[in-house]
Amino acid sequence: MSQALEQIAEDISARFVGKLARVPSRCGELTFEVVPAALVEVCTGLRDDPAWRFEQLIDLAGVDYLDYGRTEWNTQTATSSGFSRGVDSNVAARAAGEGAEAAPDEPTEARRFAVVYHLLSVTHNRRVRLRAWCEPGDPPLLDSVEGIWKAADWFEREAFDLFGILFRGHPDLRRILTDYGFIGHPFRKDFPLIGNVEVRYDPVKGRVVYEPVSIEPRTLVPRVIRDDNRYAPALKDAPKHG
């Protein structure tokens, strides 16, 4: 990370002591975790301070950390679980006894849902990422930043639609991608891949009807890592002959 970004990180940390904490980033970008109660204050400061001027919200995305860090795969040999974790919530638990890796931290309702904000300073050509954990409870809740960046309007509606995250103070929080009357939030990790209902046109009734889904949950092709010399490090970059 550049010296300029390191200096900005120190300045932001000093300005908002106790309200945010820097977190590591694998891609070398500046990232902070913000205390939910201080989200609006921090975002307003990042936008308005002349030294930072993060005047543009590039993206806002919900995240569901349910079963984060868990895996149902035995990556050296085929497994019997396949991709079925999405349609059978008990698969991950069963796989844990079959050599699967355990989660680094047990998931809790208090740290299941989060919202990530990607900010851009057009003035200084710099970027910063924020993450805020939603307030525990059902539904998950955070303050809206629509009053800071108007672009958050549809982004927050999308996070509400797909993850069920409510944004306190949003002027028009309603679904934006799913159909009228849709039940549930399809990007939640416990939402079944096959869905809950299916839609078809009924020529007798002369209208679209909703019915229980007729697709049966099934295990797809097991995931296997096969030995293949095309991917062997010693052969991958070897000079070609002929």
Side-chain angles (χ1 to χ4, degrees), residues 147-203:
I148 303 172
W149 299 288
K150 289 298 181 182
D153 186 350
W154 282 19
F155 288 148
E156 290 181 347
R157 285 179 59 188
E158 180 183 47
F160 161 68
D161 192 359
L162 301 181
F163 292 93
I165 299 172
L166 295 186
F167 293 90
R168 186 190 294 111
H170 190 284
D172 186 24
L173 194 62
R174 54 194 168 93
R175 291 186 182 271
I176 191 172
L177 293 176
T178 55
D179 196 9
Y180 298 107
F182 190 90
I183 298 174
H185 304 284
F187 275 19
R188 288 191 174 190
K189 295 293 180 64
D190 52 5
F191 189 87
L193 291 178
I194 60 174
N196 294 313
V197 297
E198 61 185 25
V199 181
R200 68 175 180 86
Y201 178 77
D202 189 323

Side-chain angles (χ1 to χ4, degrees), residues 98-231:
E98 301 173 0
E101 298 176 6
D105 296 297
E106 288 298 321
T108 64
E109 288 300 319
R111 293 178 70 86
R112 174 177 173 180
F113 294 100
V115 176
V116 178
Y117 306 80
H118 295 264
L119 310 181
L120 170 66
S121 170
V122 178
T123 303
H124 301 296
N125 190 26
R126 295 184 182 123
R127 297 175 185 269
V128 68
R129 180 189 296 112
L130 307 177
R131 179 177 68 181
W133 292 96
C134 296
E135 298 175 13
D138 192 17
L141 181 66
L142 266 181
D143 288 324
S144 172
V145 296
E146 188 271 344
I148 303 172
W149 299 288
K150 289 298 181 182
D153 186 350
W154 282 19
F155 288 148
E156 290 181 347
R157 285 179 59 188
E158 180 183 47
F160 161 68
D161 192 359
L162 301 181
F163 292 93
I165 299 172
L166 295 186
F167 293 90
R168 186 190 294 111
H170 190 284
D172 186 24
L173 194 62
R174 54 194 168 93
R175 291 186 182 271
I176 191 172
L177 293 176
T178 55
D179 196 9
Y180 298 107
F182 190 90
I183 298 174
H185 304 284
F187 275 19
R188 288 191 174 190
K189 295 293 180 64
D190 52 5
F191 189 87
L193 291 178
I194 60 174
N196 294 313
V197 297
E198 61 185 25
V199 181
R200 68 175 180 86
Y201 178 77
D202 189 323
V204 176
K205 296 181 179 180
R207 61 179 176 83
V208 171
V209 296
Y210 292 80
E211 297 174 336
V213 65
S214 60
I215 302 173
E216 295 183 3
R218 63 190 186 278
T219 298
L220 301 180
V221 179
R223 181 174 180 175
V224 185
I225 295 180
R226 297 181 175 88
D227 294 328
D228 192 321
N229 60 12
R230 291 177 298 172
Y231 306 107

